[in-house]
Amino acid sequence: MKTNILIPTDFSKNAYNAATYAMKLYKNESCTFYLLNSWAFSVSHSRTYVTANYLKKLKEESEKQLKDLKVQLKAEFKNTKHEFKTIISKDPLLVAIKKETQAHLIDLIIMGTKGATGATELFIGSNTVNVINKLKNCPILIIPNEFDYVVPRKIAFSTDFNRFYGEELEHLIQLANLHKSKISVIHINEKNLTDKQNYNLAMLKAYLENHKHRFHWMTGFSKKEHALKAATEELSIDILTMINYQHSFIENIINEPVIKNIGFHPIIPFLVVPCFYEK
């Protein structure tokens, strides 16, 4: 059974880097990669009148660049297990992603972090933040700008044990199975666990019983973002995984754009799984 992966692109270096990461991560898997370009954002807001010829030109340019990207990826990787399809959309990026995710039964979205301005002080680009916040039916793997691919030997899953996850954890397992990665469960220890947390911890241990894993308690940190950053560095984590639910830690950090105020930004690939119980 093929894995369907959606790769939004604006044809930037950052977007191409995310696409090549996807090729390498899934090199041993049968996949269909859907290369999506939404050209609606290319229409300048300063224009008071947009002609049909201008829109036609945008569409033609998008078609050409998507074709060139497809040819480039096929030539560079030469993987017979990989199939490529191109999608041109005149819808805003988020709308286009929602439509294509449903239309093609997408299993995973892989996209870059860099915003249109390229400003290094931004946590991640506004388009990526918008997709994380609004897309509730598909996991998203975010690839940092200029990140060089390494085989993910260790995948971290950060949790406070306040919830038990079912379907959401399948995405973590599937990712770990690609390269037989070890799962490092990270808990930032602020206080003793409640009965509810202990129950969820026991359930998680049972769920991961047949997979390589280890639990790590991070203590002595005043801020969660500092503890998480330290954990990814000390444990040599290759991919960080978090589940995005209302009032979660990830919701807080993606709504804070300035690195110096939060002390956290994605230096490794970052898998965001929506909480399916909050659709």
Side-chain angles (χ1 to χ4, degrees):
M1 184 176 180
K2 281 193 173 183
T3 300
N4 295 326
I5 298 175
L6 182 69
I7 304 178
T9 181
D10 59 1
F11 309 113
S12 65
K13 183 178 178 181
N14 181 231
Y16 187 76
N17 185 57
T20 59
Y21 185 96
M23 304 298 109
K24 294 172 183 177
L25 182 66
Y26 283 86
K27 70 176 183 177
N28 298 321
E29 306 298 316
S30 296
C31 299
T32 300
F33 294 100
Y34 292 86
L35 307 174
L36 167 67
N37 177 245
S38 168
W39 50 269
F41 70 91
S42 300
V43 179
S44 172
H45 294 294
S46 63
R47 284 176 170 262
T48 56
Y49 180 67
V50 178
T51 65
N53 284 337
Y54 177 69
L55 294 178
K56 181 181 178 182
K57 182 179 178 180
L58 284 179
K59 183 178 179 181
E60 289 174 349
E61 182 63 22
S62 176
E63 288 175 340
K64 179 181 182 303
Q65 288 183 292
L66 276 175
K67 182 179 178 180
D68 290 345
L69 176 60
K70 177 180 176 179
V71 169
Q72 186 176 1
L73 290 172
K74 290 180 72 173
E76 182 174 348
F77 295 98
K78 299 181 176 66
N79 193 328
T80 57
K81 293 184 177 182
H82 292 173
E83 180 182 5
F84 297 87
K85 296 186 178 181
T86 59
I87 303 170
I88 301 169
S89 177
K90 64 181 179 179
D91 293 315
L93 182 61
L94 177 62
V95 175
I97 287 176
K98 284 183 174 181
K99 284 184 178 180
E100 303 307 331
T101 297
Q102 294 179 349
H104 302 289
L105 302 177
I106 297 299
D107 299 297
L108 178 67
I109 298 164
I110 299 180
M111 61 191 301
T113 58
K114 197 171 182 179
T117 63
T120 56
E121 72 273 13
L122 295 182
F123 165 61
I124 47 179
S126 57
N127 281 329
T128 309
V129 169
N130 197 32
V131 173
I132 292 172
N133 276 330
K134 301 293 178 61
L135 194 70
K136 302 299 183 183
N137 64 344
C138 189
I140 308 160
L141 182 60
I142 302 163
I143 312 302
N145 188 36
E146 298 182 352
F147 181 82
D148 292 326
Y149 176 83
V150 293
V151 177
R153 301 300 183 192
K154 292 184 180 180
I155 299 176
F157 172 51
S158 178
T159 177
D160 56 13
F161 302 126
N162 283 323
R163 294 176 177 226
F164 177 74
Y165 302 102
E167 185 180 349
E168 293 88 351
L169 291 176
E170 281 300 310
H171 297 286
L172 171 64
I173 297 300
Q174 289 168 8
L175 185 62
N177 284 342
L178 291 177
H179 297 278
K180 296 180 171 56
S181 308
K182 183 177 182 179
I183 297 172
S184 297
V185 180
I186 298 173
H187 174 65
I188 301 168
N189 193 15
E190 299 172 318
K191 54 187 178 181
N192 293 331
L193 297 184
T194 65
D195 290 343
K196 177 183 177 182
Q197 287 176 308
N198 276 313
Y199 174 80
N200 289 334
L201 169 58
M203 293 295 289
L204 184 57
K205 286 181 177 179
Y207 189 90
L208 297 177
E209 184 178 9
N210 296 324
H211 303 275
K212 291 189 297 183
H213 70 278
R214 187 174 179 181
F215 288 79
H216 302 271
W217 263 244
M218 300 299 295
T219 61
F221 289 89
S222 59
K223 292 186 177 181
K224 290 182 178 180
E225 55 267 28
H226 294 165
L228 196 54
K229 183 179 180 182
T232 57
E233 293 174 352
E234 292 173 12
L235 301 174
S236 299
I237 298 301
D238 299 307
I239 297 176
L240 172 63
T241 303
M242 299 180 77
I243 294 176
N244 188 21
Y245 57 88
Q246 191 174 16
H247 307 308
S248 66
F249 173 61
I250 185 174
E251 183 181 79
N252 292 334
I253 62 174
I254 64 174
N255 288 324
E256 173 51 74
V258 184
I259 288 174
K260 66 182 181 181
N261 286 351
I262 64 171
F264 177 81
H265 63 289
I267 58 174
I268 59 174
F270 187 24
L271 178 67
V272 179
V273 181
C275 185
F276 297 118
Y277 298 114
E278 294 183 349
K279 286 181 180 179

